[in-house]
Amino acid sequence: MNPLRPAILAAAGSERVKRTLTTSPVTAPLVRRFVPGETRSELVAAARELLASGRAVSVDFLGEYTTDRAQADAAVAEYLALINDLAALDTAAVPAGAAPLEVSVKLSALGQWLGPDGPAIATENLRVLCTKAAEAGVWVTVDAEDHTTTASTLAAIRRVRPDFAWLGTVIQAYLYRSVDDCRDLAAAGARVRLCKGAYQEPDTVAHQHRADVDSAYLRCLDVLMQSSARPLVASHDPALIAAATDLAARAGRGPGELEYQMLYGIRTDEQTRLAGRGEFVRVYVPYGNQWYGYLMRRLAERPANLGFFLRALTTP
Ligand code: FDA
């Protein structure tokens, strides 16, 4: 584990750090590497390029932990417009096997934190998005946030998924509960995006050491591969990608029966290599002006990105 990770994730809550990053010319290129733009038109341009290269997309309108009803409503409105814009894009270069277009949503952006009614509001908003997405031929996957939201998020998905079988769930391998969650989702034949997990979590709920997280990832992946679920291998880790390829071969899964998923701007060469050998590759593309929490999680994952970060903090 990167020793600076807790400090960087703590900085995710700092207004001063956020102001510095937002105004410093040093950090602008770093932000652009991970977030192609703040507007929908910038997002559409990036998505068009990815689709033309044969990679599917999952688009995230950035925002999280909303405590304001108007903001949650605005997020829903933006997603509805986004689904419209995505549906107009040319997807002919993406291989068959799954919808080339998808949106990723955080329930905390859709109202989950709006007091006691929050979970119900977020669930209803998720249903609104799924209804629109179904009309447009776009799929939806629900992101996984910090562990205090896990039970509520999985409950919302359980409620909505019977009407939208393609509704995807994200599982974080670092949580102790995740192997059991994978078993439940595998039994239901769900689409499951398996990632390591990006939040700072206590040892009461999550593995703390890289080797333990990697082992847990492989246990979860094995459960999914052996089932009728669709495993969505969300990792840039070469060892896990190779293991996924082996497990898929052993389970008799062809290229259209699982997905390799990576974040925009990370290991683009590997995305292209996998797509080139006929795999279904999906790139998670975030956009919007609420990029700060997302960027902090990317910095915490990768010590090499810290140089930019520290320079930004010391640039007047
Ligand atoms: P690991 O962190 O070990 O990285 C392996 C290699 O990938 C590194 O050595 C480096 O080469 C490259 N790399 C990884 N991160 C990098 C970075 N930031 N910058 C540059 N290079 C980098 N998490 C979560 O908690 N909830 C969620 O909903 C999601 N959703 C999600 C969707 C998709 C499609 C992906 C790919 C990931 C997520 N994540 C997530 C994030 C995930 O939990 C995890 O934090 C990151 O993917 C990093 O873990 P890796 O598996 O890539 O391995």
Side-chain angles (χ1 to χ4, degrees):
M1 195 73 72
N2 165 15
L4 292 175
R5 187 168 183 256
I8 299 170
L9 288 173
S14 158
E15 271 308 310
R16 190 180 74 81
V17 176
K18 180 178 183 184
R19 247 195 333 275
T20 309
L21 279 177
T22 313
T23 49
S24 160
V26 179
T27 45
L30 179 58
V31 177
R32 280 293 162 269
R33 176 181 161 194
F34 296 113
V35 181
E38 296 199 349
T39 66
R40 205 158 64 241
S41 61
E42 287 169 312
L43 172 275
V44 164
R48 190 176 282 123
E49 211 171 295
L50 289 163
L51 292 165
S53 75
R55 286 169 285 174
V57 294
S58 190
V59 179
D60 169 27
F61 174 56
L62 291 163
E64 53 194 338
Y65 300 120
T66 299
T67 52
D68 172 19
R69 179 68 198 247
Q71 211 179 331
D73 291 345
V76 173
E78 176 66 23
Y79 267 110
L80 295 177
L82 169 65
I83 290 167
N84 252 343
D85 286 3
L86 288 178
L89 292 175
D90 180 358
T91 60
V94 180
L101 302 167
E102 183 190 71
V103 294
S104 284
V105 298
K106 287 183 172 52
L107 292 193
S108 79
L110 300 189
Q112 193 178 36
W113 284 52
L114 295 175
D117 294 337
I121 293 169
T123 305
E124 193 41 43
N125 282 338
L126 176 62
R127 188 179 291 284
V128 168
L129 294 191
C130 287
T131 304
K132 170 76 181 173
E135 287 163 15
V138 173
W139 282 355
V140 178
T141 288
V142 180
D143 284 342
E145 302 179 69
D146 78 84
H147 79 277
T148 65
T149 65
T150 307
S152 162
T153 297
L154 293 179
I157 295 170
R158 266 197 306 276
R159 249 178 236 121
V160 176
R161 198 174 158 268
D163 297 322
F164 304 96
W166 38 254
L167 179 60
T169 307
V170 179
I171 294 292
Q172 296 153 315
Y174 62 16
L175 293 183
Y176 301 139
R177 60 174 290 160
S178 287
V179 179
D180 289 336
D181 289 332
C182 281
R183 286 201 188 96
D184 290 347
L185 289 158
R191 291 170 63 241
V192 183
R193 174 181 293 158
L194 183 62
C195 65
K196 289 189 184 180
Y199 296 78
Q200 187 64 32
E201 299 288 16
D203 63 2
T204 45
V205 299
H207 297 290
Q208 304 293 309
H209 301 291
R210 190 191 162 98
D212 296 333
V213 176
D214 290 356
S215 303
Y217 192 104
L218 290 174
R219 279 198 301 280
C220 289
L221 190 57
D222 196 34
V223 168
L224 298 173
M225 287 282 186
Q226 303 290 338
S227 74
S228 61
R230 183 174 173 83
L232 315 174
V233 182
S235 177
H236 315 91
D237 187 332
L240 292 185
I241 292 170
T245 304
D246 279 358
L247 284 173
R250 259 187 274 152
R253 286 177 180 267
E257 294 171 290
L258 75 154
E259 292 181 22
Y260 294 90
Q261 301 194 340
M262 298 190 204
L263 302 176
Y264 181 85
I266 302 182
R267 298 205 69 202
T268 304
D269 50 346
E270 179 65 359
Q271 297 171 18
T272 312
R273 185 187 75 82
L274 289 166
R277 78 169 195 214
E279 303 289 357
F280 196 101
V281 176
R282 194 182 297 277
V283 181
Y284 183 104
V285 197
Y287 78 104
N289 60 16
Q290 304 286 309
W291 43 260
Y292 180 64
Y294 178 88
L295 180 76
M296 284 292 153
R297 290 193 286 278
R298 302 296 77 79
L299 290 174
E301 280 154 8
R302 179 84 170 138
N305 293 332
L306 280 172
F308 289 98
F309 175 74
L310 295 173
R311 269 175 69 202
L313 287 181
T314 52
T315 301

